[in-house]
């Protein structure tokens, strides 16, 4: 069975090609593998000079993996001269310098040299030597060219069938015009410039909304760089539709998702002020609402809370101390708490109203009765002196 990727409707051999001659091959396996390599690269004519094992050979058939036709048509000879009798041009492959006054070429050059001769109907042979000792000097002497491969000089000898595959590959590459059998499927045609420009316009409009192009004197360079990112990828029409959809989804999402609103930092601060004044620092006497409210606050942090939480979780000294955000303790909700340390951290906004300050005092009294330490951090300090703020927290945790 020829195997995956094989199109059985295609001709077996791509056209006339050189004859492959194996001199004194020792292993049937190598003959089979060489036949397979020949079939892969459009060669069909195999000649064997005194193979060491019985012929036909089961191991050869096994390794040929379906290239049986080449083995069936292989012709046996008693001598190399007999095998080359009808050939007008012969190449001898070898890893060794034979010190003969004979031109030496690589596999690609060999293919270029034989192509016009084969086109002209000549019979050309490429000769390969024995696994153990390669070709004898007098055998190389029969050739018009020596073919050798660029190899690691410390390990120059290839397996017989692998040497065949390289030579056959270069031959086929030349004859097929180096065309690959398939390429990436083009599912959607390339986007025309008009579509690309419309995409840039909407992308830039959305970026404008979030004041992305800053500072103003960089605007033009930024736009050009951005456009070039997308131009470089040579997008298809489908690519641009997808990207457009992505930009619009993000833009729509920012304006407010379909379910439930998200507050920005300022609105989140207003919510806290409102609760502080009207909730008296605590929430009604049931369990449910405290938790719901805590969750609401957690999802809508103020800018200061967000910054502090990020710094806290990134600080080696404080990570792992069990801090939580917007957590109910009894009926109170505390900005940050570490239950293991019994430490509450409260972010104090500037200009708190009298009612809010009273509520805060009640809350602290309630917490202190229950042995909580309280650390107050002014919003301003978090915004301007994060390093010192973290120091204060570290000290309050009793750390160094
Ligand atoms: N020990 C042997 C190598 C035999 S390998 C020697 O020294 O010649 C079997 C055959 O594979 C060689 O006779 C030759 O036809 C081919 N071959 C192996 N390595 C090669 C190389 N680097 N360049 C060209 N042909 C090579």
């Amino acid at each position: 069975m020829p195997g995956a990727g094989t199109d059985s409707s295609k001709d077996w051999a791509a056209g006339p090609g050189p004859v492959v001659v194996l001199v004194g091959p020792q292993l049937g396996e190598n003959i089979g593998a060489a036949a397979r390599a020949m079939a892969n690269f459009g060669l069909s004519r195999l000649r064997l000079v005194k193979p060491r094992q019985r012929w036909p050979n089961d191991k050869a058939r096994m390794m040929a993996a379906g290239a049986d036709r080449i083995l069936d048509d292989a012709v046996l000879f008693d001598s190399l001269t007999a095998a080359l009798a009808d050939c007008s041009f012969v190449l001898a492959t070898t890893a060794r310098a034979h010190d003969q006054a004979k031109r030496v070429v690589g596999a690609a050059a060999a293919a270029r040299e034989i192509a016009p001769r084969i086109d002209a109907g000549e019979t050309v042979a490429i000769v390969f030597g024995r696994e153990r000792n390669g070709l004898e000097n007098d055998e190389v002497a029969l050739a018009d060219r020596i073919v050798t491969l660029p190899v690691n000089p410390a390990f120059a000898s290839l397996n017989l069938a692998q040497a065949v595959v390289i030579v056959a590959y270069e031959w086929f590459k030349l004859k097929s015009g180096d065309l690959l059998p398939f390429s990436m499927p083009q599912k959607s045609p390339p986007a025309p410039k008009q579509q690309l420009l419309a995409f840039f316009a909407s992308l830039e409009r959305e970026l404008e909304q979030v004041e992305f192009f800053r500072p103003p004197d960089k605007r033009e360079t930024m736009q050009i760089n951005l456009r070039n990112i997308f131009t470089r990828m040579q997008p298809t029409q489908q690519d641009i539709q997808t990207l457009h959809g992505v930009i619009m989804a993000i833009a729509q999402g920012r304006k407010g998702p379909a379910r439930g609103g998200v507050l920005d930092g300022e609105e989140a601060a207003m919510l806290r002020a409102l609760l502080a004044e009207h909730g008296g620092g605590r929430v009604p006497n049931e369990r449910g609402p405290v938790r719901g409210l805590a969750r609401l606050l957690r999802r809508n942090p103020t800018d200061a809370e967000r910054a502090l939480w990020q710094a806290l979780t990134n600080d080696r000294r404080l990570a792992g101390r069990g801090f939580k955000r917007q957590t109910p303790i009894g009926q109170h909700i505390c900005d940050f708490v570490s239950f293991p340390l019994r430490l509450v951290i409260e972010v104090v906004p500037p200009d708190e109203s009298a009612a809010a300050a009273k509520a805060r005092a009640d809350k602290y009294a309630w917490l202190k009765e229950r042995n909580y330490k309280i650390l107050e951090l002014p919003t301003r300090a978090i915004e301007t002196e994060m390093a010192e703020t973290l120091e204060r927290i570290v000290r309050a945790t009793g750390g160094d």
Side-chain angles (χ1 to χ4, degrees), residues 102-368:
K102 205 176 289 294
R103 277 187 51 204
V104 179
V105 293
R112 282 196 299 275
E113 232 179 314
I114 62 180
R117 293 174 184 276
I118 286 175
D119 288 345
E122 289 183 39
T123 300
V124 174
I126 308 177
V127 183
F128 294 83
R130 301 153 188 87
E131 288 91 331
R132 196 183 297 277
N133 340 319
L135 293 171
E136 304 289 349
N137 274 329
D138 62 320
E139 291 166 336
V140 173
L142 294 173
D144 300 283
R145 297 284 183 273
I146 286 177
V147 178
T148 196
L149 307 171
V151 284
N152 174 4
F155 208 86
S157 172
L158 274 78
N159 162 271
L160 171 59
Q162 290 173 351
V164 171
V165 83
I166 291 180
V167 174
Y169 169 71
E170 289 295 348
W171 162 258
F172 192 78
K173 196 159 76 141
L174 181 79
K175 292 310 277 182
S176 63
D178 210 355
L179 274 185
L180 299 179
F182 54 85
S183 55
M184 184 177 83
Q186 182 69 274
K187 295 248 166 75
S188 165
K193 293 296 174 199
Q194 187 191 25
Q195 192 192 7
L196 208 57
L197 289 172
F199 166 69
F200 292 152
S202 70
L203 172 64
E204 285 160 11
R205 192 177 52 242
E206 292 305 331
L207 288 173
E208 209 72 76
Q209 303 251 333
V210 290
E211 295 179 52
F212 176 79
F213 296 111
R214 272 178 310 182
D217 58 315
K218 291 263 173 64
R219 154 190 301 271
E220 201 179 316
T221 324
M222 289 172 82
Q223 265 177 355
I224 289 174
N225 288 345
L226 196 60
R227 287 177 174 219
N228 275 332
I229 292 173
F230 294 103
T231 307
R232 255 197 318 272
M233 69 185 239
Q234 301 193 303
T236 63
Q237 294 180 14
Q238 183 56 58
D239 289 337
I240 292 297
Q241 277 165 22
T242 305
L243 281 172
H244 191 261
V246 168
I247 305 287
M248 293 329 273
I250 294 171
Q252 301 298 324
R254 199 188 57 238
K255 285 171 196 149
R259 54 178 181 81
V262 174
L263 306 178
D264 63 24
E266 214 171 297
E267 292 162 340
M270 277 161 61
L271 173 67
R272 281 155 181 73
L274 207 66
L275 286 171
E277 285 190 23
H278 298 276
R282 46 188 294 162
V283 281
N285 239 1
E286 294 118 41
R287 211 71 198 114
V290 195
R291 297 206 158 184
L293 200 55
R295 198 177 318 122
L296 179 70
L297 294 172
R298 227 168 13 245
R299 279 191 192 154
N300 295 284
T302 64
D303 293 336
E305 283 169 19
R306 191 194 299 275
L308 182 60
W309 179 244
Q310 205 165 16
L312 204 73
T313 45
N314 285 338
D315 192 304
R316 241 179 342 99
R317 300 165 299 178
L318 296 169
R321 306 304 299 263
F323 280 105
K324 295 168 181 290
R325 302 186 296 126
Q326 299 299 348
T327 309
I329 308 180
Q331 294 303 307
H332 296 279
I333 298 172
C334 298
D335 290 339
F336 298 87
V337 61
S338 163
F339 288 116
L341 297 169
R342 246 183 147 65
L343 173 66
V344 167
I345 301 175
E346 285 284 296
V347 177
V348 186
D351 312 323
E352 245 183 354
S353 70
K358 163 87 172 61
R360 182 178 291 287
D362 291 348
K363 170 163 142 182
Y364 289 178
W366 187 91
L367 287 167
K368 278 182 182 150

